[in-house]
Amino acid sequence: MQRGASADEVMVDVEVSSKEDPAQTNHKTQTDVYDLRLFRNGQIVGEWPEPRGGIGGAESIEKWRAASKVPMKDGQTKILHRFMVQVPRRDKGKPIKFTSYAFNEDRIKSETASYENYSVSDDVEPAKPRAFVITIGINSYQKPYRNLDFAVKDAKDVSSALRQIKDYEVVPLSLLSEAPKAGVAKPVDQATKANIHAVLGVLAGNSDRTALNDLANADKLRKATPDDLIVLFFSGHGHTEDTGAFYLIPSASKTDDSVATGILTNFISSEELGEWLREVDSGQMVMILDTCHSAASVDTPGFKPGPMGDRGLGQLAYDKGMQILAASQADDIALELRGLHNGLMTYALREGLNLDARGKARARRDLAGVGTVTLSQWLSYAEKRTPTLYEDALAGRVNMLSRDSVVDTRFIKSVQRRAQTPALFDFVRSSTSPEIVQQ
C-alpha cells in the first residue's frame, strides 16, 4: 500500500494464490483463482481480470471461467496484482478500509481480506464535489405510434428539480429526442445509444467529449471522483424479453412493430449499462428509470444481492452501493398523465419537492419538507406516492395515457387490474444522503 502519483491516489497490492485441499472427498482437490475484486469502504473499485461483455449468470459458468480466470504461468501458484485507486478528498486525514476477495472455479467466494491502516493524505487539496445530473427524455421514435408526449418534459423537470444540491456544484446535462416543432427545420435527436455511451465514458475517464460538443454543458463533464454524485434519469420506452433481460430503448433504435432478436443490439441492455457504469468511480450513484418493465433492470431472474460474480446491473448496484428507482414492476407498464403533463412517477417526484401546487400539502406532510429534502427521502416518496396517484387517475381526477398504448377500452381494463407500483433498490451503505434544496 503506497501513495500514487497524486495525493488522492493510492496503489493497492493484492496477492492471490490457488488452493489445494487433498482432504476433499469430491476429488476436486485443487482450484485456480477467478475474478479478484477490491473494495474501498465497501464500494467496488477494481476487478481483475477486467470484466468483458457477454458474461451471464450461473448458466454461463464456462464463459465466466474463461473470462475471469486470474492469469498465472504453468507451475505458478500465487501472483500479485496492483490496483490504482482514487480516494475521496473530503476524507482528508481519515482512514480508508480496503477489502478484497476472489472466487474458485465453482464461483464460491473466498474469505475476505481486509486492510484498515491507510488514511487519506493530510496534504490532499480539497475540491468542491460535483453532482452530474444526466437526464434523458425520448418523445420521438422511428415508429410514430411509439412516440411519447411527456418524456422530454420529464427529463427537463427532473433536471430543474435538481438544480441545487447542498454542498455540490451541479452539472446538468440533458439528452433529448423529439419531433420538430413549428418553425424548426430539424428534429432534436440527442438521446442516441452512442451519446449515452459517450457521456458515461467521459464520467468513467475512458473517452473525451468530442462527440458531445453540441450538447449544453458537455464542456463541464469530467472523470468522476469518489467525492462526486451522479444522478442518471431516463424517461422513455423499456423492453423485457421472455428471458427476463431488460433493455432501455434509445432514440434511433430502429424499433419496428415487433422486437426481433436482431434489433436488440440497438437497445441498451441492463448488462450493457452495467458495463458502462462499472468504471465510473463516483462516491454516490442514483438511477431513476421512468419506463415500462423497469424493475427488470435490477431484479433479473436469479439475482440475489451478494458477491456471487453476476455481471448484471443488479450485482453492480449492490457492489457500488447504488440507489435505483424503477417506475414499474418487471412485467408492468408505466403511465403518462395528460392532466399533469408528466409520466406518473416523474410527477410524484415533482410533488415530493413541492414543485407543483397540487402536491404541495401532501409532500410537506409526508416529508416535513421545509427547505431541503434528502435524495433518499425523495426517492422513497415517489415509490410510495405513485400508486395512490394512479388511483387518482382511475377515479377520473386526471386523464391518463399508457407509455405503450393508445387510450382505448382494452387498455383501461388492463390497467384497472392493479396500480403502477415502482420499486426502489437501495444498496447505499452510508447513513447520510445529499440534500436537495427546494426552489
Side-chain angles (χ1 to χ4, degrees):
M1 186 85 60
Q2 63 187 64
R3 177 169 155 171
S6 62
D8 62 348
E9 288 183 334
V10 59
M11 292 182 288
V12 182
D13 292 335
V14 182
E15 184 178 80
V16 293
S17 60
S18 58
K19 180 73 173 177
E20 185 170 356
D21 184 2
Q24 289 294 320
T25 58
N26 62 1
H27 306 295
K28 286 188 176 182
T29 59
Q30 191 273 337
T31 180
D32 292 316
V33 183
Y34 298 83
D35 194 8
L36 174 63
R37 299 183 176 195
L38 178 68
F39 295 79
R40 177 197 60 226
N41 289 337
Q43 185 180 46
I44 194 166
V45 290
E47 285 187 75
W48 187 56
E50 292 185 3
R52 299 202 301 266
I55 307 302
E59 72 283 0
S60 303
I61 193 165
E62 293 300 332
K63 291 182 180 180
W64 174 82
R65 286 173 181 162
S68 303
K69 184 178 177 180
V70 170
M72 294 189 195
K73 297 177 182 178
D74 290 343
Q76 189 176 10
T77 60
K78 63 177 61 177
I79 191 169
L80 189 75
H81 184 73
R82 173 167 289 177
F83 294 94
M84 186 66 70
V85 181
Q86 295 185 101
V87 293
R89 290 174 176 264
R90 65 174 178 271
D91 289 343
K92 176 178 179 178
K94 295 181 181 179
I96 300 288
K97 182 178 181 179
F98 290 98
T99 54
S100 184
Y101 56 76
F103 297 85
N104 71 9
E105 65 179 34
D106 294 321
R107 290 164 55 111
I108 297 174
K109 173 187 166 296
S110 72
E111 293 183 3
T112 300
S114 300
Y115 186 87
E116 301 183 48
N117 294 327
Y118 179 83
S119 296
V120 179
S121 174
D122 285 326
D123 62 355
V124 67
E125 291 294 330
K128 187 170 185 178
R130 294 190 180 187
F132 298 100
V133 178
I134 313 301
T135 53
I136 302 162
I138 307 171
N139 279 354
S140 180
Y141 285 90
Q142 281 147 310
K143 288 290 183 179
Y145 72 87
R146 290 187 182 272
N147 290 349
L148 299 171
D149 289 327
F150 308 124
V152 166
K153 185 175 182 296
D154 287 348
K156 290 179 178 179
D157 285 348
V158 168
S159 183
S160 177
L162 298 178
R163 281 181 297 180
Q164 297 183 59
I165 301 176
K166 187 178 180 181
D167 297 327
Y168 287 86
E169 176 190 348
V170 177
V171 179
L173 187 140
S174 293
L175 298 169
L176 309 175
S177 292
E178 55 186 334
K181 297 178 181 178
V184 179
K186 293 183 178 180
V188 176
D189 190 17
Q190 302 166 334
T192 63
K193 182 175 181 177
N195 278 351
I196 295 169
H197 190 188
V199 168
L200 298 182
V202 173
L203 294 174
N206 294 332
S207 37
D208 59 34
R209 296 183 289 262
T210 304
L212 305 170
N213 286 340
D214 293 337
L215 298 179
N217 282 339
D219 59 317
K220 295 181 181 178
L221 283 182
R222 68 172 191 198
K223 180 180 179 180
T225 76
D227 294 299
D228 295 333
L229 163 70
I230 292 174
V231 179
L232 180 64
F233 173 87
F234 183 96
S235 181
H237 285 300
H239 169 74
T240 303
E241 286 283 277
D242 292 339
T243 60
F246 174 75
Y247 297 81
L248 296 176
I249 305 182
S251 67
S253 51
K254 299 181 180 178
T255 50
D256 210 329
D257 293 341
S258 61
V259 178
T261 301
I263 211 171
L264 290 175
T265 57
N266 300 321
F267 298 174
I268 303 172
S269 69
S270 59
E271 182 176 316
E272 198 167 25
L273 186 58
E275 297 267 342
W276 297 350
L277 291 170
R278 185 168 294 276
E279 293 186 53
V280 179
D281 188 16
S282 62
Q284 298 181 73
M285 191 180 298
V286 174
M287 186 183 302
I288 303 170
L289 302 177
D290 198 348
T291 74
C292 297
H293 317 297
S294 47
S297 62
V298 177
D299 195 17
T300 54
F303 171 68
K304 297 178 182 178
M308 75 300 181
D310 180 73
R311 299 294 195 194
L313 183 59
Q315 183 64 40
L316 182 70
Y318 177 82
D319 287 341
K320 279 188 171 288
M322 293 172 60
Q323 290 172 301
I324 299 181
L325 177 62
S328 59
Q329 300 298 312
D331 59 348
D332 214 344
I333 60 173
L335 302 174
E336 287 190 322
L337 298 182
R338 287 193 186 277
L340 301 180
H341 305 286
N342 275 121
L344 187 70
M345 190 184 73
T346 298
Y347 184 78
L349 287 167
R350 292 183 62 203
E351 235 189 35
L353 294 180
N354 296 336
L355 296 179
D356 186 287
R358 301 186 196 207
K360 197 166 186 178
R362 178 186 294 273
R364 284 190 175 175
R365 183 180 72 243
D366 292 355
L367 295 176
V370 179
T372 60
V373 171
T374 68
L375 265 175
S376 293
Q377 286 175 322
W378 187 51
L379 299 175
S380 180
Y381 177 85
E383 179 195 26
K384 295 171 183 174
R385 169 58 174 149
T386 300
T388 62
L389 198 57
Y390 172 96
E391 297 298 337
D392 289 344
L394 286 183
R397 289 184 283 271
V398 292
N399 295 322
M400 64 183 176
L401 170 69
S402 165
R403 285 211 185 280
D404 281 342
S405 307
V406 295
V407 174
D408 59 27
T409 55
R410 290 171 299 171
F411 167 70
I412 295 296
K413 290 179 180 179
S414 69
V415 299
Q416 285 176 337
R417 295 172 190 164
R418 59 181 175 184
Q420 179 185 329
T421 307
L424 177 59
F425 302 89
D426 190 347
F427 300 120
V428 171
R429 297 168 179 86
S430 172
S431 59
T432 60
S433 178
E435 294 183 343
I436 306 168
V437 181
Q438 294 175 276
Q439 311 300 310

